């Protein structure tokens, strides 16, 4: 606070204070050199103004000490800032083991949140204080950006893929959530709140909101309804590979490459099964069979011209 005026949002996460420290150091360095350069220019402008008595007989054309100084000092400053910023980036790039995972979907113009217990929220995110929270995010339409100033976290939310970020809230309260990427006519209204609660209060809220099934149970029911069990047998003898213990493991592909079975890979494998064929498994239809099916569908005729 500066005379009652806040100079930055609340520092409500474990990384917020470190981000602010780096920000103010960079701002201070920028301010120092800006003032220094301006005063130097002003000094020479006055000293060597037209008709001034300053001596100009032997102008300095080069100075090795000066050149070394203005090369080494900025280089050292940049190296220190790079290492400092990189350490913060890598510390916040991967969620710690055991972090609570929450799924976030952005769409014009709202945030849809789903907790692992199955609880769903719109434009609100309830989390417990002092516990790492990992957000796995995607978009249903255009690029959005999940931004909580009090936590100093910000990440693009992209259609067709998953992005993630994590935080640990350090104090209870309500904190603004924004979309920081222009996403259409009502972009400015795409906001919400992150509500940080004590662990006991969060558990009470959760218990009072739990639906009939968790997100895993809903996925299991969908897996059975769509007949996925018929191909993905547990012993690997089906048409598709076994899914037991798959997540997070390397997957060898028929093209000779290896990918990690993360959320993005699984999404692509579900929507486009032939995009990356697993070694030892092939697409269900070859090109000849595809042509045969297309020919059959063509033989059924067009709308209003079907065969008798």
């Amino acid at each position: 606070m500066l005379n009652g005026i806040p100079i930055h949002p609340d520092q409500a996460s474990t990384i917020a204070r470190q981000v602010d420290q780096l920000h103010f150091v960079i701002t201070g360095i920028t301010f120092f050199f800006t003032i220094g350069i301006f005063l130097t220019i002003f000094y020479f402008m006055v000293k060597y103004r037209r008709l001034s008595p300053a001596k100009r007989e032997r102008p300095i054309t080069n100075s090795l000490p000066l050149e070394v100084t203005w090369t080494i000092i900025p280089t050292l400053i940049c190296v220190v800032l790079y290492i400092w910023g990189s350490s913060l980036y890598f510390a916040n790039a991967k969620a710690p083991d055991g972090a609570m995972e929450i799924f976030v979907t952005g769409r014009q113009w709202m945030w849809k949140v789903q907790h692992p217990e199955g609880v769903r929220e719109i434009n609100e995110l309830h989390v417990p204080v002092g516990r790492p929270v990992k957000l796995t995010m995607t978009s249903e339409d255009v690029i959005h950006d999940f931004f909580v100033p009090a936590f100093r976290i910000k990440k693009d939310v992209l259609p067709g893929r998953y992005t993630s970020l994590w935080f640990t809230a350090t104090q209870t309260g309500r904190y603004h959530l924004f979309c920081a990427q222009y996403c259409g006519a009502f972009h400015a209204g795409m906001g919400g709140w992150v509500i940080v609660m004590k662990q006991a209060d969060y558990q009470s809220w959760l218990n009072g909101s739990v639906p009939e099934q968790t997100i895993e149970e809903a996925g299991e029911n969908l897996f059975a309804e769509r007949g996925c069990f018929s191909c993905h047998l547990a012993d690997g003898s089906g048409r598709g590979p076994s899914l037991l213990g798959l997540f997070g493991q390397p997957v060898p592909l028929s093209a000779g490459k290896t990918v990690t079975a993360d959320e993005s890979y699984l999404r692509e494998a579900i929507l486009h099964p032939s995009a990356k064929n697993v070694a030892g498994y092939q697409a269900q239809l070859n090109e000849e069979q595809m042509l045969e099916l297309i020919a059959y569908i063509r033989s059924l005729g067009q709308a209003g011209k079907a065969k008798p």
Side-chain angles (χ1 to χ4, degrees):
M1 302 288 288
L2 182 62
N3 295 327
I5 301 176
I7 58 176
H8 55 67
D10 292 333
Q11 296 174 335
S13 72
T14 52
I15 199 173
R17 184 177 299 276
Q18 302 172 59
V19 172
D20 284 351
Q21 289 172 348
L22 178 58
H23 168 74
F24 286 124
V25 167
I26 294 176
T27 302
I29 292 174
T30 304
F31 183 78
F32 171 80
F33 280 102
T34 300
I35 296 299
I37 292 171
F38 174 80
L39 291 178
T40 301
I41 293 173
F42 185 78
Y43 169 77
F44 285 110
M45 180 180 68
V46 172
K47 182 177 180 179
Y48 294 104
R49 69 189 185 279
R50 181 178 297 179
L51 303 179
S52 70
K55 295 181 180 180
R56 301 181 176 85
E57 292 81 8
R58 295 189 301 174
I60 299 174
T61 58
N62 61 73
S63 173
L64 181 60
L66 180 60
E67 293 176 1
V68 171
T69 299
W70 73 32
T71 300
I72 292 179
I73 292 180
T75 299
L76 291 177
I77 292 175
C78 290
V79 168
V80 170
L81 294 179
Y82 172 79
I83 294 174
W84 191 352
S86 297
S87 65
L88 288 179
Y89 173 82
F90 288 116
N92 208 43
K94 186 177 185 300
D97 295 336
M100 178 176 67
E101 185 173 21
I102 296 176
F103 299 91
V104 178
T105 302
R107 61 171 298 180
Q108 295 170 316
W109 287 272
M110 68 175 67
W111 295 106
K112 298 190 294 184
V113 177
Q114 187 170 10
H115 293 255
E117 295 80 6
V119 179
R120 299 173 185 269
E121 303 183 79
I122 298 293
N123 293 336
E124 284 191 348
L125 170 59
H126 288 73
V127 296
V129 67
R131 182 175 176 183
V133 176
K134 176 186 177 183
L135 304 180
T136 298
M137 308 178 296
T138 191
S139 169
E140 291 186 355
D141 36 50
V142 299
I143 299 176
H144 300 285
D145 193 293
F146 192 91
F147 178 38
V148 184
F151 296 166
R152 310 301 191 269
I153 57 171
K154 182 175 178 289
K155 194 67 170 287
D156 280 349
V157 181
L158 308 174
R161 59 176 293 186
Y162 292 104
T163 57
S164 67
L165 79 166
W166 75 277
F167 62 88
T168 301
T170 56
Q171 58 188 45
T172 59
R174 289 168 57 88
Y175 304 101
H176 276 292
L177 159 66
F178 299 99
C179 175
Q181 176 69 46
Y182 181 74
C183 55
F186 298 101
H187 158 72
M190 187 173 174
W193 295 91
V194 179
I195 297 95
V196 183
M197 314 171 73
K198 294 180 179 179
Q199 182 63 48
D201 295 337
Y202 174 75
Q203 196 60 48
S204 298
W205 172 83
L206 202 61
N207 292 338
S209 307
V210 172
E212 296 181 357
Q213 57 184 5
T214 67
I215 187 171
E216 288 86 359
E217 291 170 343
E220 183 179 8
N221 291 339
L222 185 61
F223 196 81
E225 290 173 3
R226 298 302 174 92
C228 304
F229 283 114
S230 62
C231 290
H232 297 281
L233 302 179
D235 59 3
S237 61
R239 292 185 174 183
S242 172
L243 305 180
L244 291 178
L246 173 66
F247 187 80
Q249 300 300 314
V251 177
L253 304 179
S254 58
K257 298 182 179 179
T258 300
V259 297
T260 300
D262 56 9
E263 292 89 353
S264 296
Y265 167 76
L266 294 179
R267 183 183 190 279
E268 183 180 35
I270 293 171
L271 295 178
H272 308 288
S274 299
K276 293 185 177 71
N277 288 326
V278 177
Y281 297 90
Q282 298 295 328
Q284 297 301 305
L285 299 175
N286 57 37
E287 290 299 330
E288 291 183 358
Q289 292 171 322
M290 289 290 292
L291 292 173
E292 291 169 357
L293 280 176
I294 293 172
Y296 167 70
I297 295 173
R298 187 188 301 120
S299 71
L300 298 178
Q302 300 176 350
K305 298 181 180 180
K307 286 186 175 182

